Amino acid sequence: ASGEAIGSHLHFEVREGEDNYDSNRNPVLWLKPLDTQNGTDGMLAGRLEDRQGKSIHTNGINIQFFPDRNEPKAAAWQVETYAPEKHPVQEDDTLHENFSLGDLTPGDYRISLMWGGKLYERWVIVANDQLTYFVLQVQ
C-alpha cells in the first residue's frame, strides 16, 4: 500500500528481459481478448511518430468506434501515448507501439489527432481475436 492506488485492484506487470521498471511492457498486448456475445473482441496497437520516426508523446489521440461508418459513433476513448518519464511502460521490441487498447468490439475505428494545428486521421478495422497495428506519422 505504498503507491498511488485508491482502492482494491489487481496489479499486473509484464517485464521482458531484466526484472526492473525499465523492462515493463504493456500487459494489454499479452492478454487474450475477451469472448463476448458477438464473438471474440480484438485489440488495437499503434505508433504515433514524427517524420524522422521518433515516438511522440501526447494525451490527445481520439479513438472512435463506428458500427456503421454512416451512423454516429458508438463509443470513444482519448488515449495517451507512453511517456517513459511519467509511466514506466516501454514499447514492445517488435511492434514499437506507443499506445494500445484491448477488448474492443470488432469493426471500424477512426483514429484522429490534432497536431501542429492540423487534423490527422486514419480508419482501421479491428478484427475478431486479432491485433490491429498501425503507424500514424505527423509532420
Side-chain angles (χ1 to χ4, degrees):
S2 62
E4 295 184 25
I6 58 172
S8 297
H9 69 284
L10 171 65
H11 184 87
F12 176 67
E13 285 185 13
V14 171
R15 293 181 179 180
E16 196 168 41
E18 300 294 319
D19 185 14
N20 59 47
Y21 285 118
D22 291 336
S23 300
N24 281 357
R25 301 299 188 265
N26 191 331
V28 167
L29 299 174
W30 295 74
L31 298 172
K32 183 180 182 336
L34 291 174
D35 288 330
T36 63
Q37 293 177 357
N38 301 324
T40 305
D41 284 348
M43 297 169 32
L44 179 66
R47 177 173 176 81
L48 177 64
E49 64 182 31
D50 64 17
R51 288 190 328 187
Q52 289 75 38
K54 184 179 180 212
S55 179
I56 295 175
H57 174 254
T58 183
N59 63 357
I61 298 176
N62 300 297
I63 300 176
Q64 300 167 316
F65 170 58
F66 290 81
D68 179 337
R69 284 194 192 189
N70 298 316
E71 299 293 328
K73 69 180 182 295
W77 300 262
Q78 187 162 13
V79 177
E80 181 176 7
T81 56
Y82 307 159
E85 65 278 1
K86 290 174 59 177
H87 308 288
V89 176
Q90 305 298 319
E91 63 187 35
D92 179 79
D93 293 340
T94 302
L95 292 176
H96 301 288
E97 89 294 346
N98 58 12
F99 66 92
S100 65
L101 285 175
D103 294 326
L104 297 174
T105 302
D108 293 329
Y109 286 78
R110 176 181 178 252
I111 291 86
S112 61
L113 167 75
M114 287 296 297
W115 189 264
K118 182 178 178 184
L119 174 66
Y120 293 86
E121 72 175 342
R122 182 132 190 216
W123 285 89
V124 298
I125 297 172
V126 172
N128 282 329
D129 202 23
Q130 291 186 18
L131 171 67
T132 299
Y133 176 77
F134 69 96
V135 175
L136 183 59
Q137 191 173 69
V138 298
Q139 304 298 316

